[in-house]
């Protein structure tokens, strides 16, 4: 009986132990354990450490890093990140002395941060502490960002040009000091004037107090958050453009009354200026000229309308025009174009500033016709004088031989047209004395030819040799000129034996 009871108690104990184990297993499997305390990011003394091998970072325990452009953290980037706060940082970590810490003090007084650089045989440790702050790297990054924003703001405020920022709805979010002093951007939304295909535009602002209006050139850069606007004062540029425009208009009005045709081509050889006289002289349509043809098309149209001489060879036409342009650029082009219907043009090419070139067209048909008539009259007068038996010599007011007839050249054995030098009165008298020896006669004639006061004509005859008579006559002409007429006669009875001997 006792054995049976013992066995029963043992079975009950084993069952109780099994149930307890099952309960404990379920508790550990399905009921979570209480949270454990997480160790802080930084060590107890609140420092941020950066490890460098040479000048390249390979490890750190900080929560903030400088911005790396290529993804690699270098000492150069770290130095830029720290330089605004700490002074005298080395350009390279390789120049530090091993096992000798380098302490960089902050630039501002009252800053508690300390930067320690320690170089060892294994590398360089850069340690940043900023007591009593527990996150020195994050605090330094915040200060660096604030410093960058301050620098940017100071830079924008120091800019001499107005700059402002707008939101997507056009609201003014920020503007610099120059913009506040110049104008309110919100008051000039509709005064913009586009400049062709340029991304910039212009607007005018009238300052208070009655001062002169100012013109600004606006350049805008669009962003997803709005836009940045940059304005530049171009008042002087606008004033210069207006003066240039007024000057061109003045020139155009002036050229409109000139009888000379004018065509100005710019450096790209396009017609930029012409006057009405050019249309009248060349018969080129106004529509064609207003379309700003190039110089080659301009000369082609002149040739098609027979306003310029027809080229001998059309294949060399463009070469000839190129030579004309080159000569005009050098200021050496001037030609006379003789056209049908007795029309004559004088064409002149002149260079202009900035590579431009101008062509002037003058109608000299009347001058040419007058010159031709004058030449015909001169030829007629000369022919009439050559028919006279007397030698006729005209001395101009400058005591220089003006002209003479054939009888004079044969009698005195002279040819003034064949000599480059002018024949003066003394030269003429020497020729007369050589051909007709009579000293007393020629001294009197020379004295009379040199007189400027009006006097009676000198008409005399003299025997310069036996049976050889010389009749001479000196008279004053208008304008201070003098005329000398000579006639040499030899007794006919003395000439017959001479002819017989000559025969």
């Amino acid at each position: 009986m006792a054995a049976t009871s013992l066995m029963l108690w043992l079975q009950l104990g084993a069952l109780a132990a099994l149930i307890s184990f099952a309960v404990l297993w379920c508790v550990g499997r399905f009921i979570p354990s209480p949270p454990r305390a997480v160790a802080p990011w930084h060590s107890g003394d609140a420092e941020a450490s950066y490890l460098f091998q040479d000048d390249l970072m390979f490890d750190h325990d900080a929560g903030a890093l400088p911005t790396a452009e290529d993804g690699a953290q270098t000492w150069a980037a770290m130095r830029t990140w720290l330089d605004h706060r700490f002074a005298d940082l080395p350009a390279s970590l390789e120049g530090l002395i091993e096992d000798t810490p380098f302490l960089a003090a902050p630039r501002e007084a009252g800053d508690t941060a300390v930067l320690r650089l320690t170089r060892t045989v294994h590398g360089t440790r850069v340690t940043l502490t900023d007591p009593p702050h527990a996150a020195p790297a994050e605090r330094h990054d915040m200060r660096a960002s604030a410093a960058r924003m301050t620098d940017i703001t100071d830079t924008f405020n120091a800019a001499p040009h107005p700059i402002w920022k707008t939101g997507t709805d056009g609201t003014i979010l920020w503007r610099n000091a120059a913009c506040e002093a110049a104008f309110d951007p919100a008051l000039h939304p509709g005064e913009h004037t586009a400049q062709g295909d340029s991304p910039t535009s212009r607007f005018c602002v009238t300052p208070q107090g009655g001062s002169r209006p100012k013109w600004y050139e606006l350049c805008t850069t669009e962003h997803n958050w709005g836009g940045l606007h940059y304005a530049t004062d171009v008042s002087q540029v606008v004033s210069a453009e207006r003066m240039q425009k007024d000057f061109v208009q003045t020139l155009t009005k002036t050229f409109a009354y000139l009888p000379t045709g004018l065509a100005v081509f710019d450096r790209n050889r396009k017609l930029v200026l012409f006057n009405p006289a050019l249309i009248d002289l060349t018969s080129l349509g106004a529509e064609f000229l207003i379309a700003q043809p190039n110089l080659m098309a301009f000369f082609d149209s002149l040739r098609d309308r027979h306003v310029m001489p027809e080229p001998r060879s059309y294949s060399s036409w463009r070469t000839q025009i190129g030579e004309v342009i080159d000569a005009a650029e050098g200021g050496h082009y001037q030609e006379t174009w003789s056209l049908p219907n007795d029309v004559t043009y004088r064409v002149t090419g002149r260079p202009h500033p900035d590579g431009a070139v101008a062509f002037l067209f003058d109608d000299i048909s009347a001058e040419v016709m007058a010159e031709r008539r004058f030449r015909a009259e001169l030829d007629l007068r000369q022919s009439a004088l050559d028919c006279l038996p007397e030698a006729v010599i005209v001395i101009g007011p400058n005591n220089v031989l003006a002209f003479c007839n054939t009888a004079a050249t044969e009698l005195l054995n002279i040819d003034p047209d064949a000599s480059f030098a002018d024949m003066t009165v003394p030269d003429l008298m020497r020729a007369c004395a050589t051909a007709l020896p009579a000293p007393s006669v020629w001294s009197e004639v020379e004295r009379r030819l040199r007189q400027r006061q009006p006097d009676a004509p000198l008409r005399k005859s003299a025997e310069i040799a036996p049976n050889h008579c010389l009749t001479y006559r000196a008279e004053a002409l208008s304008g201070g000129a003098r005329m000398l007429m000579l006639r040499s006669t030899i007794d006919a009875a003395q000439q017959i034996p001479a002819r017989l001997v000559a025969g």
Side-chain angles (χ1 to χ4, degrees):
M1 185 67 179
T4 302
S5 298
L6 178 62
M7 181 61 67
L8 180 62
W9 283 107
L10 289 175
Q11 290 178 352
L12 291 175
L15 180 61
L18 181 61
I19 293 173
S20 299
F21 176 78
V23 172
L24 292 176
W25 181 84
C26 290
V27 171
R29 177 68 178 84
F30 296 103
I31 298 177
S33 60
R36 295 176 297 174
V38 179
W41 177 272
H42 301 287
S43 59
D45 54 356
E47 65 179 16
S49 299
Y50 305 88
L51 300 181
F52 287 85
Q53 184 66 43
D54 296 330
D55 284 344
L56 184 64
M57 184 189 303
F58 66 90
D59 197 6
H60 69 90
D61 66 351
L65 293 172
T67 302
E69 297 180 357
D70 55 357
Q73 293 289 348
T74 63
W75 168 247
M78 176 69 73
R79 185 177 186 274
T80 303
W81 188 52
L82 298 170
D83 186 66
H84 79 281
R85 189 178 183 187
F86 299 95
D88 302 328
L89 295 179
S92 174
L93 297 177
E94 297 180 2
L96 297 176
I97 302 175
E98 291 186 3
D99 300 327
T100 301
F102 176 85
L103 297 178
R107 297 178 183 271
E108 298 181 3
D111 191 351
T112 59
V114 176
L115 184 66
R116 180 188 299 271
L117 284 68
T118 306
R119 180 176 176 81
T120 65
V121 68
H122 303 291
T124 304
R125 176 185 293 271
V126 177
T127 304
L128 174 64
T129 58
D130 192 2
H133 304 283
E138 288 80 351
R139 183 170 186 271
H140 174 78
D141 189 62
M142 180 185 64
R143 290 174 59 99
S145 299
R148 284 195 300 270
M149 291 301 300
T150 302
D151 292 341
I152 293 174
T153 303
D154 293 342
T155 301
F156 277 115
N157 285 327
H161 308 295
I163 303 173
W164 66 96
K165 177 182 178 181
T166 58
T168 55
D169 57 350
T171 305
I172 307 299
L173 303 178
W174 174 88
R175 54 182 172 174
N176 67 346
C179 183
E180 293 181 357
F183 56 86
D184 184 359
L187 299 179
H188 305 280
E191 298 185 9
H192 295 189
T193 303
Q195 301 296 308
D197 297 333
S198 175
T200 61
S201 60
R202 289 180 180 177
F203 63 93
C204 181
V205 175
T206 303
Q208 298 180 355
S211 57
R212 298 180 60 182
K214 287 188 177 182
W215 280 90
Y216 291 90
E217 188 172 77
L218 177 65
C219 179
T220 300
T221 58
E222 300 293 342
H223 301 273
N224 55 358
W225 42 258
L228 280 176
H229 310 273
Y230 309 88
T232 304
D233 188 351
V234 292
S235 301
Q236 295 183 355
V237 176
V238 173
S239 178
E241 290 176 351
R242 288 180 177 175
M243 292 179 61
Q244 183 182 13
K245 183 178 180 180
D246 295 341
F247 179 70
V248 172
Q249 291 179 350
T250 302
L251 289 180
T252 304
K253 294 179 181 179
T254 303
F255 294 151
Y257 299 100
L258 291 179
T260 300
L262 175 66
V264 179
F265 297 85
D266 61 9
R267 62 186 306 173
N268 298 321
R269 298 297 173 262
K270 285 191 175 182
L271 183 66
V272 293
L273 181 64
F274 66 93
N275 64 342
L278 182 68
I279 301 177
D280 298 336
L281 294 176
T282 62
S283 300
L284 295 176
E287 297 81 3
F288 173 76
L289 298 176
I290 293 174
Q292 294 184 327
N294 58 34
L295 204 151
M296 192 65 67
F298 176 80
F299 277 101
D300 281 339
S301 298
L302 292 181
R303 181 185 58 80
D304 294 340
R305 294 177 179 272
H306 304 287
V307 187
M308 67 179 303
E310 186 68 22
R312 297 179 182 178
S313 174
Y314 185 77
S315 60
S316 61
W317 163 247
R318 294 189 176 273
T319 302
Q320 296 177 13
I321 295 302
E323 294 175 353
V324 168
I325 297 173
D326 294 339
E329 290 177 351
H332 305 296
Y333 179 75
Q334 182 170 342
E335 286 187 359
T336 300
W337 292 356
S338 297
L339 307 178
N341 301 326
D342 295 330
V343 176
T344 305
Y345 289 161
R346 181 174 59 238
V347 183
T348 307
R350 290 288 182 267
H352 273 234
D354 198 23
V357 62
F359 286 91
L360 306 175
F361 296 82
D362 293 298
D363 187 356
I364 58 173
S365 302
E367 299 177 13
V368 172
M369 294 297 295
E371 184 178 357
R372 290 175 181 173
R373 288 195 297 266
F374 180 69
R375 289 182 179 274
E377 293 175 359
L378 288 180
D379 294 340
L380 179 61
R381 182 193 64 182
Q382 189 67 38
S383 299
L385 290 177
D386 290 341
C387 293
L388 296 177
E390 294 88 355
V392 180
I393 303 169
V394 177
I395 306 298
N398 56 351
N399 291 328
V400 175
L401 176 65
F403 59 88
C404 61
N405 62 353
T406 303
T409 59
E410 294 177 351
L411 178 62
L412 303 179
N413 194 22
I414 59 175
D415 189 3
D417 295 334
S419 176
F420 290 102
D422 295 330
M423 178 172 284
T424 61
V425 172
D427 298 333
L428 177 62
M429 293 300 98
R430 284 193 293 270
C432 292
T434 301
L436 303 169
S440 59
V441 172
W442 303 124
S443 60
E444 182 182 12
V445 171
E446 183 178 3
R447 184 171 60 257
R448 182 57 66 92
L449 293 178
R450 289 181 177 275
Q451 288 182 359
R452 292 296 180 186
Q453 300 299 328
D455 50 10
L458 174 64
R459 301 178 181 178
K460 289 186 178 181
S461 299
E463 187 177 3
I464 59 177
N467 301 320
H468 189 179
C469 182
L470 174 65
T471 301
Y472 56 94
R473 176 181 174 184
E475 292 188 11
L477 302 178
S478 61
R482 294 288 190 272
M483 181 180 67
L484 175 63
M485 301 181 63
L486 303 174
R487 185 169 186 174
S488 175
T489 57
I490 301 177
D491 191 357
Q494 299 294 329
Q495 295 180 1
I496 293 176
R499 294 195 185 99
L500 293 176
V501 172

